[in-house]
Amino acid sequence: MLRVIAAHPSRELRELAAELAALPVPETIEEEHASWNRICAALDAAPDATWEEVDADGVPCVWTSAGPSDACTILYCHGGAFAIGSPWHNRDMMSRIARAAGGRVLGVDYRLAPEHPFPAALDDTVAACRWLLESGVDPATVVLAGDSCGANLVLGAALRARDTGLPLPAAIAAISPWVDLTQAGWSYETNAARDPFVTKDSMDYLAASYLAGASAEDPAASQLFADLAGLPPVLVQVGAGEALLAESVSLVERLGRAGGFATLEIWPHGVHVWPMWAARVPEAQAAIERLAAFAVSAVAGAATASRVP
């Protein structure tokens, strides 16, 4: 299912896009760290959210809650090209997702490349999923979500669960997913002048750092090369001007051909992972609310299905 979110860009989104376009493109991991830290310094956490650090069977994680209900549990993997970031960088977005979904969010602080190359981050994500289930959380109430490489990790974790007999979540939500580490998508060229974040050269460099000699076509590293049959419903949100647009379209097409149900939302003016800026951009909050509604609906549908004899 394709949904184009038609709307004129807000003044706040236009200003954000201009600010991001003016930033220098990082050329090394160290420059990526410095750039990301400057960006995230302006993203304050929601004041009414609660935070709790937990050890998920050796994987550090952060619980985020912004309300009294835990009927919906969202396991969230942050972006950062497998090399930068942490749940603390996404704490405002995670708290807003928790509030909108009326549930709680578990942010996974997975190991980062190049010190911990593929498949370390995926192994940590799977371990956190297993810990969540072993702690007594009903898989029918769980939604996996992530942005950019974090979307790659939750899709990879769901495929690992399918192949190893772990219970699958109720749904998966992917924001600006990076699921083709070959960088073969047509939008790297067509959106080169529109995407202030992502370039083919930078993603080639970051992919090589993460893969450390592994094949970019390994299905566990690039889900576009995986057998996608048997996954729960998937929501993909992407900006029309993103370099990653092509692989988002391909992901949804391949999920459909594999017999799954997938929804693609194309936001005409969304920048890469624009929901991070919900504190200042109305389109970001709107995307979070749509993601939360998808998660709540999926959990309700899973609960209904479990009661059918």
Side-chain angles (χ1 to χ4, degrees):
M1 180 185 301
L2 169 63
R3 292 180 177 140
V4 177
I5 311 301
H8 294 292
S10 65
R11 173 182 55 82
E12 294 86 352
L13 181 56
R14 292 196 303 270
E15 291 175 351
L16 173 65
E19 291 174 18
L20 295 175
L23 294 174
V25 177
E27 296 182 356
T28 66
I29 295 292
E30 292 75 19
E31 290 180 6
E32 287 277 359
H33 274 286
S35 176
W36 196 240
N37 286 334
R38 286 194 298 271
I39 289 172
C40 291
L43 302 176
D44 294 329
D48 58 344
T50 61
W51 310 90
E52 179 188 1
E53 295 182 355
V54 293
D55 183 329
D57 196 20
V59 180
C61 294
V62 179
W63 274 119
T64 304
S65 179
S69 174
D70 62 357
C72 177
T73 299
I74 298 171
L75 183 143
Y76 196 92
C77 283
H78 65 85
F82 305 105
I84 59 175
S86 77
W88 296 105
H89 287 116
N90 288 60
R91 60 193 185 273
D92 181 62
M93 181 165 65
M94 290 195 307
S95 68
R96 289 172 182 272
I97 292 173
R99 184 185 302 107
R104 56 182 180 162
V105 176
L106 182 70
V108 183
D109 197 4
Y110 55 83
R111 288 170 291 171
L112 300 176
E115 293 81 5
H116 304 285
F118 170 79
L122 176 58
D123 289 344
D124 287 353
T125 304
V126 173
C129 292
R130 184 179 292 109
W131 172 85
L132 192 65
L133 298 178
E134 290 175 350
S135 68
V137 176
D138 182 351
T141 69
V142 173
V143 173
L144 304 185
D147 64 86
S148 196
C149 75
N152 176 306
L153 293 175
V154 296
L155 282 162
L159 291 169
R160 179 88 65 87
R162 180 200 64 187
D163 294 342
T164 59
L166 281 175
L168 286 166
I172 302 167
I175 303 170
S176 303
W178 184 25
V179 290
D180 179 5
L181 273 58
T182 70
Q183 283 65 253
W186 46 261
S187 49
Y188 276 99
E189 179 178 353
T190 60
N191 285 340
R194 298 178 63 189
D195 193 327
F197 262 146
V198 179
T199 68
K200 187 178 186 305
D201 287 346
S202 67
M203 298 304 263
D204 282 343
Y205 169 75
L206 291 162
S209 173
Y210 172 60
L211 292 167
S215 172
E217 296 184 11
D218 185 323
S222 297
Q223 289 75 42
L224 282 194
F225 297 95
D227 172 9
L228 299 174
L231 292 182
V234 177
L235 169 68
V236 176
Q237 296 179 320
V238 66
E242 290 197 51
L244 301 182
L245 173 63
E247 58 202 81
S248 295
V249 173
S250 294
L251 175 64
V252 171
E253 290 176 345
R254 295 182 189 196
L255 283 163
R257 288 200 296 269
F261 178 81
T263 299
L264 174 64
E265 291 187 356
I266 299 179
W267 292 67
H269 307 286
V271 298
H272 186 60
V273 196
W274 73 98
M276 284 187 63
W277 283 272
R280 60 177 287 193
V281 175
E283 289 92 338
Q285 181 62 34
I288 286 173
E289 291 172 0
R290 292 180 71 91
L291 186 154
F294 165 79
V296 170
S297 176
V299 167
T304 300
S306 69
R307 293 193 295 268
V308 175

